[in-house]
Amino acid sequence: HKNLSFLSPDQIELAKMLLEMGQSHLFEHWPEPGVDDDEKRGFFDQVARLNANYPGGLVSYLKTARELLADSKVGKNPFDGFTPSVPSGEVLTFGDDNFIQFEEAGVREARNAAFVLVAGGLGERLGYNGIKVALPSESTTGTCFIQQYIESILALQDASCRLVQGGYQMEIPFVIMTSDDTHGRTLELLESNAYFGMKSTQVKLLKQEKVACLIDNDAKLAVDPHNKYRIQTKPHGHGDVHSLLYSSGLLNVWRDAGLKWVLFFQDTNGLLFKAIPASLGVSVTKQYHVNSLAVPRKAKEAIGGITKLTHSDGRTMVINVEYNQLDPLLRATGYPDGDVNCETGYSPFPGNINQLIFELGSYIEELTKTGGAIKEFVNPKYQDSSKTAFKSSTRLECMMQDYPKTLPPSARVGFTVLDTWLAYAPVKNNPEDAAKVPKGNPYHSATSGEMAIYRANSLILRKAGVKVDDPVHQVFNGQEVEVWPLITWRPKWALIFADIRSKVRGNCSISQKSTMVIKGRNIFLEDLSLDGALVIDSVEDAEVKVGGSVQNKGWIVENVDYSDASMPEEVRIRGFKINKAEQLEKYYSEPGKFSMTP
Ligand code: UGB
């Protein structure tokens, strides 16, 4: 009933809506009209944004919040009526005929795909001050995650176009979902590095908005503790990617351009693209509408479990059950021990690595119905067992892998299980937390994420016939890891196993203390015996045969203490640095055929 003449008619409507939705407390401490009018108008600008950015607006947000908060208060099981069981999916073994066929099918189809990276999260668990995609994925070249991703997409694009007869050059679209926390720094990283070789027009950034925070079970909106004319907001989760893609209009553009697949992936998995070609091949071959990539999962590991849920009314769905929900769900449905390892040493439920492949046509059809809205959840931290007051404000959240929850039963929802060593090594945990991970469970730290890359590359070369020495065990930042030879290559050298096999000939061997960095495309290893460090690069039109016995002091992995403030944060969080004592470094800058013997 205050004098609202300083507001526009739209703002007055928003004010009425807030009052009708029980939000009068927001205005309680506002001074009389004429004081702070600009700030007050700023408040309504924010309300207008919150209203516009949520499917159905704030009214819908608050109604859903009340329902979910009421369910949470009475402890309602979100899986009521559902019984979990272990689903069946495609289980791949790296390097066998089946795998090789899927890889080829995947590369062939990649020209019809678009890639979407969700990178709006700050990664609080990692405690790193920068954006996660800027972190080096490994230290031999310092290649950051986003560079690794972009080069992989470009290599896939190139390989796919070459495979198709008369292969015209096309561009695989690449979308990055950012948030206010990451947008500016992501753009800056791309611009200052010339988009790492991708055309800037090929990359699109979509920024997700935060959602309003809630202070009680009535869904009263939280006033920002730093500004009484603002509503406090927090991230809504990676599920926003669907509504953003839908409202951007990109999906229809892609469909009209003949694309068939959308691949979603996360910010810090340096192995990911070793798993993508085969998994896309599975989607194509099995005609999956939804395909989730998965790895064997240790019980209680902090990744979701892919689960088949069967309702008492007959409905079934294959869906990710988040790690904190799987154990209680199992206990409530006849598995008194909950989430435990079976005789294989792993949980029977495959671990979701949140790399999703959707078939574009059915995706558009579904989003046309839902507008991209994803089933949400709320996770309030209560002050006590009365469950009335919260320790801090909460908000609704959503996850991109919950997309299948609204799909009709006819939808083909499958998954692909890959070897962990090949597919999954995220960088999520800070050193202190990683060191506390139960023995045998993965650390998911910067240390393990990098060592996993050397391990995967070593194992892949072994599979191709190279004699690679066994690793040694070392402890960095309190985590014991395998240290394999430090082997890295650019995605354009080899993307799939067939590439590796065509580039490795004769009897090659690599000792444990070795480093091998391959940067050029047409580099062939032939009867190479490596005991030291070798860095080799070439221009596109050079063909280089690398052989003979290379021996030098090499590169040495040295411990760095996490608390050593003289070291950059990127180094401290992995607990080691590389001391480049001696190497053989060759660059072939002219076109032609060359043979490198030391
Ligand atoms: N992200 C966003 O883009 N926006 C957001 O609002 C939040 C996150 P986390 P999480 O693979 O190990 C997921 O925090 O959510 C991006 C799956 O839910 O790293 O704990 C963010 O930038 C889980 O089932 O992971 O767990 C990052 O790229 C399991 O599969 C991505 O979303 C787990 O990942 C994931 O965010 C896993």
Side-chain angles (χ1 to χ4, degrees):
H1 302 292
K2 288 179 179 163
N3 176 3
L4 297 176
S5 59
F6 65 96
L7 296 178
S8 71
D10 285 354
Q11 290 175 329
I12 291 174
E13 282 310 307
L14 288 172
K16 279 192 195 150
M17 178 271 288
L18 288 174
L19 293 177
E20 273 160 27
M21 293 305 290
Q23 306 295 338
S24 58
H25 66 285
L26 291 172
F27 309 105
E28 251 161 35
H29 300 290
W30 282 24
E32 68 276 15
V35 180
D36 291 349
D37 283 354
D38 279 348
E39 281 89 341
K40 290 172 187 165
R41 280 188 287 262
F43 170 85
F44 283 103
D45 288 345
Q46 184 202 17
V47 173
R49 275 198 307 280
L50 290 170
N51 197 43
N53 283 323
Y54 186 83
L58 269 175
V59 170
S60 174
Y61 181 76
L62 293 170
K63 281 187 181 155
T64 308
R66 277 181 198 140
E67 279 166 31
L68 290 173
L69 286 163
D71 288 352
S72 170
K73 186 171 184 212
V74 298
K76 188 176 166 207
N77 177 356
F79 301 102
D80 229 4
F82 284 103
T83 315
S85 60
V86 180
S88 63
E90 197 65 40
V91 181
L92 303 186
T93 306
F94 177 80
D96 69 8
D97 289 347
N98 197 36
F99 184 87
I100 288 169
Q101 274 165 25
F102 279 132
E103 277 203 321
E104 207 209 296
V107 170
R108 189 171 281 281
E109 195 68 15
R111 67 189 202 285
N112 297 324
F115 283 82
V116 180
L117 167 63
V118 290
L122 261 186
E124 271 114 3
R125 281 194 269 161
L126 182 64
Y128 172 60
N129 281 309
I131 50 168
K132 289 175 81 186
V133 292
L135 262 183
S137 59
E138 46 85 9
S139 320
T140 66
T141 62
T143 306
C144 65
F145 282 103
I146 196 124
Q147 177 176 4
Q148 180 67 19
Y149 291 154
I150 287 179
E151 289 187 8
S152 300
I153 293 169
L154 290 175
L156 206 49
Q157 169 181 308
D158 200 58
S160 193
C161 291
R162 278 173 202 237
L163 256 185
V164 183
Q165 216 138 37
Y168 63 102
Q169 257 303 328
M170 39 61 64
E171 291 168 9
I172 293 179
F174 179 35
V175 168
I176 307 171
M177 181 171 80
T178 57
S179 68
D180 278 324
D181 295 330
T182 63
H183 186 83
R185 284 179 284 177
T186 306
L187 192 60
E188 195 186 302
L189 178 67
L190 289 167
E191 285 180 342
S192 59
N193 289 284
Y195 285 77
F196 297 104
M198 199 172 246
K199 285 189 192 153
S200 61
T201 48
Q202 200 173 339
V203 186
K204 288 241 157 28
L205 268 57
L206 298 178
K207 185 161 76 77
Q208 65 177 141
E209 297 294 336
K210 293 183 179 172
V211 289
C213 292
L214 311 159
I215 47 173
D216 64 15
N217 287 325
D218 294 329
K220 283 213 180 66
L221 293 168
V223 176
D224 187 329
H226 307 294
N227 182 348
K228 68 175 169 182
Y229 297 112
R230 285 291 177 281
I231 292 169
Q232 190 187 16
T233 59
K234 285 187 181 170
H236 190 221
H238 39 67
D240 279 346
V241 73
H242 303 300
S243 62
L244 272 176
L245 278 177
Y246 182 68
S247 60
S248 73
L250 280 172
L251 298 176
N252 289 337
V253 173
W254 293 346
R255 182 192 49 202
D256 295 344
L259 299 193
K260 290 193 190 125
W261 308 97
V262 190
L263 289 90
F264 298 88
F265 62 108
Q266 302 194 157
D267 50 16
T268 55
N269 180 8
L271 298 181
L272 183 69
F273 276 83
K274 298 186 190 299
I276 281 190
S279 309
L280 179 56
V282 169
S283 275
V284 176
T285 313
K286 303 268 159 183
Q287 301 197 317
Y288 280 155
H289 293 148
V290 175
N291 182 10
S292 304
L293 274 58
V295 295
R297 172 181 177 278
K298 288 278 182 188
K300 306 196 174 60
E301 195 182 323
I303 63 176
I306 309 251
T307 310
K308 180 170 180 181
L309 295 177
T310 307
H311 198 269
S312 45
D313 66 11
R315 273 179 296 148
T316 64
M317 60 178 163
V318 175
I319 193 84
N320 173 69
V321 176
E322 211 52 349
Y323 39 91
N324 54 342
Q325 294 179 321
L326 185 59
D327 189 71
L329 170 64
L330 290 166
R331 284 176 199 274
T333 50
Y335 301 86
D337 298 330
D339 180 20
V340 284
N341 293 325
C342 62
E343 62 284 357
T344 59
Y346 289 93
S347 160
F349 298 92
N352 166 45
I353 63 172
N354 240 18
Q355 156 70 46
L356 310 166
I357 306 179
F358 291 2
E359 191 270 324
L360 180 60
S362 59
Y363 183 44
I364 293 179
E365 207 175 293
E366 176 66 11
L367 293 196
T368 309
K369 288 185 229 154
T370 61
I374 293 298
K375 286 243 178 278
E376 293 162 300
F377 60 95
V378 69
N379 191 11
K381 309 275 183 288
Y382 298 107
Q383 275 182 18
D384 57 42
S385 57
S386 71
K387 292 191 172 179
T388 40
F390 305 160
K391 282 187 184 153
S392 59
S393 68
T394 189
R395 81 294 195 180
L396 302 190
E397 295 177 73
C398 62
M399 301 187 292
M400 65 172 171
Q401 67 270 34
D402 278 344
Y403 165 77
K405 283 192 172 167
T406 56
L407 287 179
S410 58
R412 289 188 294 278
V413 182
F415 62 94
T416 305
V417 183
L418 299 124
D419 305 291
T420 307
W421 65 262
L422 179 77
Y424 189 57
V427 177
K428 297 203 183 212
N429 289 328
N430 61 61
E432 284 99 338
D433 289 346
K436 285 186 227 141
V437 163
K439 204 167 166 48
N441 279 23
Y443 300 119
H444 293 171
S445 65
T447 315
S448 62
E450 173 160 0
M451 287 302 167
I453 293 174
Y454 305 135
R455 177 171 187 243
N457 289 342
S458 296
L459 290 172
I460 290 169
L461 287 184
R462 262 193 186 174
K463 194 88 189 161
V466 178
K467 197 183 142 297
V468 181
D469 277 358
D470 281 337
V472 295
H473 289 252
Q474 265 179 275
V475 177
F476 305 106
N477 282 344
Q479 304 153 56
E480 185 180 320
V481 288
E482 289 181 358
V483 183
W484 289 76
L486 312 180
I487 300 173
T488 60
W489 57 74
R490 310 272 13 108
K492 68 178 172 192
W493 183 68
L495 203 60
I496 58 173
F497 190 45
D499 300 334
I500 301 280
R501 290 209 299 191
S502 72
K503 285 179 166 160
V504 175
R505 304 163 183 162
N507 289 318
C508 294
S509 64
I510 300 176
S511 71
Q512 187 279 325
K513 60 159 255 212
S514 292
T515 296
M516 181 169 73
V517 179
I518 305 180
K519 296 179 175 171
R521 183 195 300 278
N522 296 308
I523 290 169
F524 297 83
L525 308 181
E526 190 168 324
D527 298 321
L528 170 72
S529 158
L530 178 61
D531 183 31
L534 171 65
V535 180
I536 185 135
D537 195 1
S538 64
V539 293
E540 287 293 292
D541 300 326
E543 195 181 305
V544 188
K545 203 172 82 186
V546 176
S549 167
V550 177
Q551 225 175 353
N552 54 46
K553 289 197 194 107
W555 292 3
I556 298 141
V557 180
E558 291 177 351
N559 277 75
V560 167
D561 192 79
Y562 177 55
S563 54
D564 181 352
S566 70
M567 286 283 159
E569 197 183 6
E570 294 79 7
V571 175
R572 281 194 285 135
I573 59 173
R574 55 198 82 214
F576 61 84
K577 65 175 180 15
I578 296 180
N579 172 5
K580 300 183 175 176
E582 193 188 359
Q583 69 276 323
L584 175 65
E585 190 161 3
K586 292 268 188 183
Y587 175 51
Y588 293 85
S589 57
E590 302 292 328
K593 286 198 173 196
F594 304 92
S595 193
M596 188 217 88
T597 37

